[in-house]
Amino acid sequence: MERQSMPSTTQHAATRPADQVRHLLPKDIQQQIATHPCYSKQAHQYARMHLPVAPACNIQCHYCNRKYDCSNESRPGVVSRLMDSDGALKQFRSIKRRAPNLTVVGIAGPGDALANSQATFATLKKIRMEDPQAQLCISTNGLMLEHYASELAAAGVHHLTVTINCIDPAIGEQIYPWVYYDHKRLRGRAAAERLIQNQLAGLEAAAAAGMLVKVNTVLIPGINDHHIEQVSQEVRRRGALMHNIMPLISAAEHGTFFGIRGQRGPSASELEAARAISSQYMPQMTHCQQCRADAVGTLGGGCGQSEEPVVEHSYKVAVAGNGEALIQTHFGHAKRFEIYRFDKQQQQFIYLETRQVAQYCSGTHACPDDDSDKQLIIDAVADCQTVLCARMGIAPWRALEKLGVTPNVDFAFQPITEALASIAARIATPLTPGGNHEVCHY
Amino acid sequence: MKYAITDKCVGCYACQLVCPSQAVYADPDVNGRFHIHSRRCTGCEDHYDAPQCASICPIEEAIVNEMNLPVNPQGSLTGIISPGAAL
Ligand code: SF4
Ligand code: SF4
Ligand code: SF4
């Protein structure tokens, strides 16, 4: 699966705008974003979680294949497991228990949060009742934003992301083939006009309601790359706080219109140039990567795919399970893995993220047959040093060892916390500190 | 006119959210498949100009009419026409 990687150039660009963030933002807002890993580079010890409760979408983008998750918010080609609001609350509780640093809970898809307003608001309310401290955030294409802005603010949403790719309908009709609004499917210019008008009005309403609004723009060479300055100026005028210019992802195998047409994504320098233009008007958010609607984790390991081009110096343990406190799952039956990373300062394992095995189903695998299932499970833990489970067959055992992953069934039916403590005691050798593996999300 | 959902459906729930007659339901056996209850479906005629399910469905050929013709034929939503497709 292809993934954006412009490691060095973006990292450079990141330092400059991060300073600007500090200069440009008033003190109280700085405080509000200080614990949000997606808004503040300083907040990377905090974890965030996206709850996949919003399957439907009300528009079509040419960089999206609706057989997969929303590619505004998610890496295309990865289907998340859907949840209802009760499932979302349960998931939140189980993560929060193990990751007290979980500060941000977001709804970003797999479709559009506001096209699924009932599920979205039900989830927001449940999370807020459970943990009034949790920072709630929403991502949307903006079509219904004006309609729901005050309700969102009332539900306690602080952070809002709206994807605005252009403010000119002539450009918009090259990006959005249709929009479903007011019980009709609009097409062509009319669709783009409606969407843009609603996005801008929605942005203004959200900012007026006191939410911190970030604008995402997908940079599409030849389509909106000459238009970034206008977008930036206009969204700034309407109250946006930050701009996140993201490169188009358009691999042909994702089956998107742009992918199939051979529309290329921007080069690292094109992206940097666009961000430089926009930075005249707004702080840039560059430490960010598209991530899935159900991502869970901290910045360092957040999106956590095994193919991530990130150099990890840290020791990671994967625990097979379904949220139980004991290690009781057979490796081959694992639906998900909790990933823990060894923290050098604290000399203990801290919870990093949960990986759904199904997420490793990436379209390139022929999915539903048995063999590829096994491969998916192995892929899900390939970057870890140790895998804890109750039992494991000999074939996956060998396959893992070949990858340098050590299977461990010694802790079968023992509490996860004890197993981790005992491994931590064993490996308490200091590792290289820090490491710049910043890979972020919204 | 009544409508039905084909196996092209990807289970995105959109049609279910907009149907005014609660005619859309998830397949209890097949994950990610939806169906239209033929007796409940009014074709939206009493409410709207166009069937709502087919007006929001993002997947071509997922919703068909009584003649079994797709309301959103290939290419009509995404602009993608696959070369091998018989049109
Ligand atoms: S808003 Fe998201 S889910 Fe909807 S079409 Fe665009 S990229 Fe896809
Ligand atoms: S045509 Fe109308 S009533 Fe029938 S299933 Fe579709 S939305 Fe529901
Ligand atoms: S809108 Fe289309 S793809 Fe989505 S559930 Fe309904 S029929 Fe299936």
Side-chain angles (χ1 to χ4, degrees):
Chain A
M1 179 59 54
E2 207 204 43
R3 184 182 174 86
Q4 250 63 42
S5 53
M6 303 127 310
S8 51
T9 27
T10 40
Q11 227 94 63
H12 281 309
T15 29
R16 190 179 349 115
D19 291 340
Q20 290 174 1
V21 171
R22 251 166 282 139
H23 293 310
L24 287 170
L25 299 177
K27 256 258 145 53
D28 57 321
I29 292 183
Q30 285 186 37
Q31 271 157 11
Q32 287 183 63
I33 64 176
T35 52
H36 193 305
C38 304
Y39 284 76
S40 168
K41 286 191 74 173
Q42 278 71 43
H44 55 269
Q45 73 270 34
Y46 298 100
R48 60 93 187 85
M49 164 180 207
H50 283 175
L51 298 167
V53 297
C57 190
N58 44 16
I59 70 171
Q60 177 71 54
C61 306
H62 270 328
Y63 45 74
C64 177
N65 178 349
R66 287 309 332 278
K67 291 177 182 133
Y68 307 117
D69 287 0
C70 170
S71 30
N72 275 330
E73 297 309 325
S74 319
R75 197 174 58 123
V78 184
V79 183
S80 357
R81 194 178 53 122
L82 262 186
M83 282 177 189
D84 61 9
S85 60
D86 286 325
L89 177 62
K90 242 166 79 196
Q91 171 90 345
F92 173 77
R93 279 189 186 135
S94 91
I95 303 284
K96 182 77 188 173
R97 227 177 350 209
R98 280 183 216 109
N101 60 338
L102 179 67
T103 51
V104 179
V105 180
I107 299 175
D112 180 73
L114 298 180
N116 302 264
S117 53
Q118 278 194 359
T120 293
F121 282 106
T123 305
L124 290 172
K125 280 181 193 132
K126 286 178 185 160
I127 301 293
R128 194 167 164 76
M129 290 250 277
E130 177 76 13
D131 179 6
Q133 308 283 37
Q135 296 197 38
L136 304 174
C137 66
I138 289 286
S139 297
T140 176
N141 59 35
L143 182 65
M144 299 307 290
L145 181 53
E146 188 183 17
H147 189 78
Y148 290 114
S150 54
E151 204 178 327
L152 285 170
V157 173
H158 278 128
H159 303 83
L160 188 131
T161 300
V162 47
T163 300
I164 300 180
N165 296 318
C166 59
I167 56 165
D168 177 357
I171 296 173
E173 70 180 320
Q174 300 170 61
I175 303 174
Y176 313 108
W178 59 261
V179 157
Y180 173 87
Y181 186 71
D182 197 18
H183 307 290
K184 289 186 241 346
R185 196 187 314 256
L186 308 173
R187 295 167 189 268
R189 186 67 65 100
E193 267 164 14
R194 169 53 61 199
L195 178 62
I196 292 167
Q197 193 182 320
N198 287 19
Q199 288 172 327
L200 294 174
L203 160 59
E204 207 164 333
M211 283 180 274
L212 308 179
V213 188
K214 168 165 71 71
V215 167
N216 282 352
T217 299
V218 179
L219 186 64
I220 313 163
I223 293 188
N224 70 350
D225 52 346
H226 57 282
H227 181 62
I228 294 301
E229 184 158 15
Q230 285 99 299
V231 172
S232 186
Q233 260 175 325
E234 181 65 14
V235 301
R236 164 87 207 202
R237 200 172 69 76
R238 305 270 187 154
L241 208 65
M242 277 192 208
H243 203 182
N244 174 26
I245 300 178
M246 315 186 293
L248 171 72
I249 302 176
S250 58
E253 66 266 27
H254 298 155
T256 65
F257 178 86
F258 281 152
I260 286 166
R261 287 292 171 95
Q263 166 67 48
R264 70 173 178 92
S267 67
S269 59
E270 286 169 326
L271 184 65
E272 210 176 338
R275 288 172 173 169
I277 289 172
S278 171
S279 72
Q280 298 169 265
Y281 305 96
M282 261 189 301
Q284 299 298 292
M285 206 182 75
T286 51
H287 63 288
C288 169
Q289 288 250 355
Q290 285 95 327
C291 70
R292 303 182 305 265
D294 58 350
V296 183
T298 57
L299 286 152
C303 284
Q305 287 80 22
S306 45
E307 70 274 26
E308 193 104 42
V310 163
V311 191
E312 276 285 3
H313 298 293
S314 53
Y315 192 106
K316 279 184 285 182
V317 172
V319 185
N322 291 299
E324 316 90 350
L326 298 185
I327 298 168
Q328 59 186 50
T329 302
H330 188 297
F331 181 76
H333 302 158
K335 295 266 179 299
R336 45 190 233 199
F337 290 95
E338 288 174 7
I339 310 294
Y340 294 83
R341 183 170 53 182
F342 187 68
D343 184 278
K344 292 127 273 180
Q345 269 83 45
Q346 304 176 40
Q347 293 288 302
Q348 63 175 13
F349 280 96
I350 53 170
Y351 169 82
L352 184 66
E353 60 183 338
T354 295
R355 298 178 186 171
Q356 309 290 342
V357 169
Q359 285 169 7
Y360 294 81
C361 159
S362 62
T364 48
H365 296 286
C367 243
D369 68 83
D370 241 28
D371 269 2
S372 55
D373 266 9
K374 279 177 201 131
Q375 190 54 45
L376 295 178
I377 303 183
I378 289 171
D379 288 351
V381 299
D383 62 326
C384 298
Q385 277 68 24
T386 294
V387 177
L388 298 176
C389 54
R391 284 185 323 145
M392 187 184 298
I394 190 71
W397 189 292
R398 292 214 175 103
L400 283 171
E401 279 186 334
K402 242 192 244 159
L403 292 167
V405 183
T406 311
N408 186 332
V409 293
D410 299 347
F411 298 99
F413 303 102
Q414 293 183 34
I416 295 172
T417 43
E418 280 176 27
L420 292 174
S422 131
I423 297 172
R426 215 186 310 148
I427 60 165
T429 12
L431 295 148
T432 25
N436 190 3
H437 20 81
E438 194 138 25
V439 184
C440 183
H441 332 274
Y442 298 85
Chain B
M1 183 80 76
K2 290 184 191 287
Y3 297 85
I5 295 176
T6 72
D7 61 3
K8 295 269 163 80
C9 169
V10 299
C12 76
Y13 288 75
C15 54
Q16 192 182 43
L17 295 177
V18 299
C19 172
S21 318
Q22 282 83 45
V24 180
Y25 62 97
D27 191 315
D29 301 318
V30 187
N31 207 5
R33 263 295 305 275
F34 282 69
H35 300 288
I36 291 172
H37 200 290
S38 59
R39 243 173 306 149
R40 297 197 72 125
C41 175
T42 63
C44 286
E45 276 145 27
D46 42 346
H47 295 272
Y48 305 108
D49 295 343
Q52 292 302 292
C53 53
S55 300
I56 196 170
C57 177
I59 303 296
E60 291 157 355
E61 300 180 328
I63 295 183
V64 291
N65 64 17
E66 273 166 15
M67 276 88 78
N68 210 22
L69 294 172
V71 186
N72 299 302
Q74 260 204 45
S76 67
L77 299 181
T78 59
I80 301 167
I81 313 233
S82 55
L87 279 176

